[in-house]
Amino acid sequence: MDLSSLPREKWWGDEYLVQLEGFWFRPQRVKPIKRVINHYNPLPSDVILVTSPKTGTTWLKSVLYSILNRSSKHKLAVKHPHELVPFLEVQVFAEADEPPILPAPSDGPRLFATHIPYQLLTKTLDYSQCKVVYLTRNPKDTLVSLWHFVNKWNMEKVDQPWSLDEATDKFCRGISLYGPYYDHVLGYRELSLKRPENVLFVTFEDMLEDPHGYVKKLGEFLGCPFEKDEEDEVEEIVKNCSIEVLSSHDVNKSEESTTWFPLPCNSFFRKGKTGDYKNYLSNESIQRIDTLTKERFHSLGFMY
Ligand code: A3P
């Protein structure tokens, strides 16, 4: 594929995004994304976590890994959640010349993650009985989290931080990693309503309010429910996957970056709260996002 033929927009610093089938991606992701679309055939036992960036992916990776592997405490203490649960388009299908590294299904359900929008994965998911967990987060906190993340990334490249006004404008215009955010959420929201047995739609805010209830709900959805006498196990998972515990492990505190992403491992953990946007966004920006949210979500009965 000729990347230069794709529409492109400046993102931050000298980074730009290219548009493929209505969504915006970093140019180097386009080919691996195409490989996932063309070559990934999910097994019925596969579990795929789908998110937009900065909606709590790292958290849910550790939760799903723990649910499927039960005693995972030790693993979580020594491996970053992104190593335990690889992204399809970033790790598994990263190399064009090498066959993807897919674990043997005999070792239990394979757990992957992706940010690819449903609109591009329609065929892949519509013909599979695999389980999809979609996690989303309110747009204002997602934007503020992304802005912090990018500025950490930015630090070594350009002197000027990425302004929040510019980040807000890009986000509202849909020019965001794997965005437009609203289309990303709605694609999976509709799919979850159509195929609730295969697709579970979860919000960061609901998880934060009732992590215990959601660990149990996810266990049921994945076909490995917790028995009545396993309450302690549920509690352990909640605790081991909390931001306090996860971010205290050396592997997650590390300033080293992974082989596949140019940011330190600790960049995936910041506050992990809801409503942090109030400390950063202007009233004008809040209004602009709220209006968009009303137009795009509320009209379909999805409240944020
Ligand atoms: P904040 O920047 O608002 O703190 P992603 O994993 O999709 O990149 O999302 C990162 C966001 O999830 C960050 O949000 C990060 O702090 C938060 N996060 C990471 N681990 C978490 C956990 N265990 N519990 C709650 N939030 C967590």
Side-chain angles (χ1 to χ4, degrees):
M1 151 167 283
D2 180 13
L3 286 180
S4 64
S5 66
L6 297 176
R8 69 168 60 193
E9 279 271 351
K10 179 182 175 298
W11 188 32
W12 58 265
D14 52 8
E15 290 270 332
Y16 64 93
L17 300 178
V18 294
Q19 194 186 41
L20 180 73
E21 297 180 38
F23 286 86
W24 294 97
F25 307 101
R26 295 179 73 211
Q28 57 269 56
R29 284 288 174 258
V30 170
K31 283 181 183 162
I33 286 173
K34 283 254 165 199
R35 282 199 286 277
V36 176
I37 295 170
N38 294 332
H39 302 297
Y40 173 50
N41 294 313
L43 298 172
S45 55
D46 282 2
V47 177
I48 312 170
L49 167 66
V50 190
T51 61
S52 264
K54 311 325 290 174
T55 58
T57 322
T58 317
W59 181 22
L60 220 61
K61 278 186 174 187
S62 65
V63 170
L64 294 178
Y65 182 86
S66 302
I67 293 173
L68 292 172
N69 296 284
R70 297 292 157 110
S71 320
S72 59
K73 192 174 164 187
H74 175 67
K75 276 278 173 61
L76 285 176
V78 295
K79 277 201 164 188
H80 198 285
H82 291 309
E83 297 297 330
L84 291 172
V85 184
F87 282 110
L88 287 168
E89 70 276 24
V90 185
Q91 288 138 294
V92 184
F93 286 84
E95 304 299 332
D97 308 330
E98 291 167 29
I101 314 143
L102 295 166
S106 55
D107 293 342
R110 308 186 303 186
L111 175 57
F112 301 116
T114 185
H115 291 314
I116 306 178
Y118 172 62
Q119 290 83 340
L120 277 77
L121 276 185
T122 314
K123 284 202 187 108
T124 308
L125 297 179
D126 283 1
Y127 294 110
S128 173
Q129 285 304 317
C130 66
K131 299 270 188 192
V132 172
V133 175
Y134 184 77
L135 175 73
T136 189
R137 186 181 192 187
N138 81 75
K140 290 172 286 193
D141 283 335
T142 303
L143 162 65
V144 166
S145 183
L146 178 76
W147 172 71
H148 277 287
F149 188 72
V150 161
N151 272 329
K152 204 156 182 178
W153 189 351
N154 192 358
M155 267 182 329
E156 285 162 20
K157 296 182 89 179
V158 229
D159 317 330
Q160 283 286 325
W162 195 35
S163 89
L164 187 52
D165 281 346
E166 197 187 336
T168 306
D169 184 57
K170 293 264 189 285
F171 184 85
C172 289
R173 288 166 50 220
I175 305 157
S176 195
L177 275 188
Y178 296 81
Y181 158 91
Y182 292 95
D183 294 327
H184 200 289
V185 177
L186 289 174
Y188 284 101
R189 166 107 183 138
E190 282 162 29
L191 185 66
S192 74
L193 297 175
K194 220 163 54 184
R195 295 180 56 203
E197 67 289 354
N198 293 98
V199 185
L200 184 68
F201 188 93
V202 179
T203 70
F204 182 95
E205 294 76 16
D206 285 348
M207 276 275 308
L208 207 58
E209 201 177 300
D210 181 17
H212 192 100
Y214 268 86
V215 166
K216 293 211 292 201
K217 193 174 176 158
L218 286 161
E220 264 163 49
F221 173 71
L222 299 177
C224 47
F226 292 88
E227 304 298 331
K228 283 213 168 62
D229 61 359
E230 288 182 307
E231 284 294 320
D232 286 357
E233 186 137 2
V234 175
E235 223 28 77
E236 272 287 290
I237 292 179
V238 170
K239 193 178 88 200
N240 294 334
C241 297
S242 66
I243 191 160
E244 293 77 17
V245 172
L246 269 188
S247 61
S248 71
H249 300 312
D250 286 348
V251 64
N252 296 332
K253 278 199 288 199
S254 168
E255 281 288 332
E256 301 278 304
S257 52
T258 64
T259 48
W260 49 269
F261 202 77
L263 270 185
C265 289
N266 64 15
S267 335
F268 294 93
F269 305 95
R270 197 178 61 93
K271 290 188 183 169
K273 301 262 182 281
T274 58
D276 191 38
Y277 73 86
K278 292 181 195 139
N279 298 318
Y280 297 94
L281 292 177
S282 66
N283 286 339
E284 202 185 7
S285 295
I286 291 177
Q287 252 180 25
R288 183 173 175 193
I289 299 173
D290 284 349
T291 303
L292 204 52
T293 306
K294 237 184 183 159
E295 273 170 28
R296 298 299 314 276
F297 285 170
H298 296 194
S299 58
L300 294 168
F302 178 44
M303 305 314 280
Y304 244 146

